[in-house]
Amino acid sequence: MTVFNSPHYDGHELISFKHDARSGLRAIVAIHNSNLGPALGGCRMYPYLNDDDALDDVLRLSKGMTYKSALAGLPLGGGKAVIIGDPSKMKSRDLLLAMGGFIEDLGGRYITAEDSGTTVSDLKVIAERTSYVSGVMEGGRFGGDPSPYTAQGVFYGIKAALKFKHGSDQLFGVRVAVQGAGAVGRHLISLLIGEGAVVFVADVNPRNAELARQAGATIVTCDEVLGFSADVLAPCAMGAAINSCTVENIQAGIIAGAANNQLASDAQGDRLLQRGILYAPDFVINAGGISDVYYQRAEGSSASTSAHIARIADSLLEIFARSIASNVSTARVAERLAEERFLLKKRVEAA
Ligand code: NAD
């Protein structure tokens, strides 16, 4: 295993490995940067082919969380945890308790949350051994699932992009193509239709496509959705939807969706700028979920969460303006803006 030579190693503050022989737990926690606050990020459980893949994933994902929280204006750093193993076969109460002990030993530098392969019920078991868990509060609106808040942020982001590009954030009659009608996509579709947008949806899962149809969307095929003739394309499925094959076929003037890592590489962001397509960087527009997770832990009200999420629009407008002024892609501008925030904080403290 290469740690410091990993292509995803970026001066991470801490990388901690845990093996618990009794429960079979093999896990890694990575803290990328904590200048702005304790590192918060989900705990993913996945059957990685080997330890290197797990390490690369946790390094990459923890870095992404630093940038996301910095741009969301949250007092949080970036961290992530991965548990190596198939959740359907290896997950046990003992393993989750051991994971809780691992997180507790980090003394609050890392706060965990739900991610793929873990559920709110799993987090409740982890929370038996550590208080450094978010997204497990009972009652009220705190159900643990941040996807409605992610959708709300994407909705504000779409309106900000429309305003920037066309001078109006009205959705009535605006054609939006949504790739993926899962947890986030389905909430987004309802919000869009609620304001009069004309929504086209593709989903590989026929059940989710049918639910979208019942909500008022028109179903299109998965092959056509990325190049569909729409005003806005909202990728809400898997990463790398915008790659060297798809980027030339996109017809929408705006790309604004929830999926993580939408661009296969920075080159696609550059190409979108050249083509005059306004891209809302994923880690800015999909920060509604992390904001909700933060406010759950801070025991904030639903109103304070929503008010915070509304600020996603302001961040995007700033990024769009800087991108046009500098002729640099929105993705690169967003990265620089995040770095200004989390690196500047350290420099100010040192001065
Ligand atoms: P989900 O698994 O609930 O939904 C994804 C949907 O996309 C599913 O319905 C799936 O069938 C569909 N899909 C997969 N591949 C497809 C394809 N090629 N074409 C069309 N449909 C396809 O996931 P989610 O929670 O809704 O998250 C969606 C995206 O947003 C993911 O990339 C996720 O990482 C990101 N995200 C989610 C949250 C959140 O709060 N859930 C927060 C930030 C980012």
Side-chain angles (χ1 to χ4, degrees), residues 68 145-147 150 179-186 202-205 208 222 225 236-239 258-260 286 289:
K68 185 179 290 198
D145 175 13
S147 53
T150 304
Q179 182 196 40
V184 180
R186 103 171 44 105
D203 198 299
V204 289
N205 180 335
N208 287 352
C222 290
V225 66
C236 296
M238 310 302 283
N260 278 315
N286 72 15

Side-chain angles (χ1 to χ4, degrees), residues 247-331:
V247 71
E248 300 302 335
N249 296 331
I250 289 164
Q251 294 196 46
I254 291 169
I255 301 176
N260 278 315
N261 305 314
Q262 287 170 38
L263 304 180
S265 78
D266 279 344
Q268 273 75 55
D270 300 338
R271 183 66 189 130
L272 291 174
L273 178 70
Q274 279 173 358
R275 291 198 55 212
I277 296 171
L278 187 62
Y279 168 65
D282 45 28
F283 59 95
V284 185
I285 194 171
N286 72 15
I290 185 77
S291 304
D292 173 48
V293 168
Y294 169 75
Y295 277 99
Q296 283 192 44
R297 191 169 167 79
E299 297 181 34
S301 67
S302 175
S304 50
T305 311
S306 293
H308 196 104
I309 292 170
R311 286 160 49 187
I312 286 174
D314 300 329
S315 295
L316 284 172
L317 289 171
E318 181 178 353
I319 289 162
F320 296 153
R322 284 196 190 198
S323 168
I324 295 298
S326 59
N327 198 33
V328 171
S329 78
T330 53

Side-chain angles (χ1 to χ4, degrees), residues 185-195 215:
R186 103 171 44 105
H187 289 290
L188 177 64
I189 291 161
S190 299
L191 292 170
L192 292 168
I193 289 174
E195 285 213 5

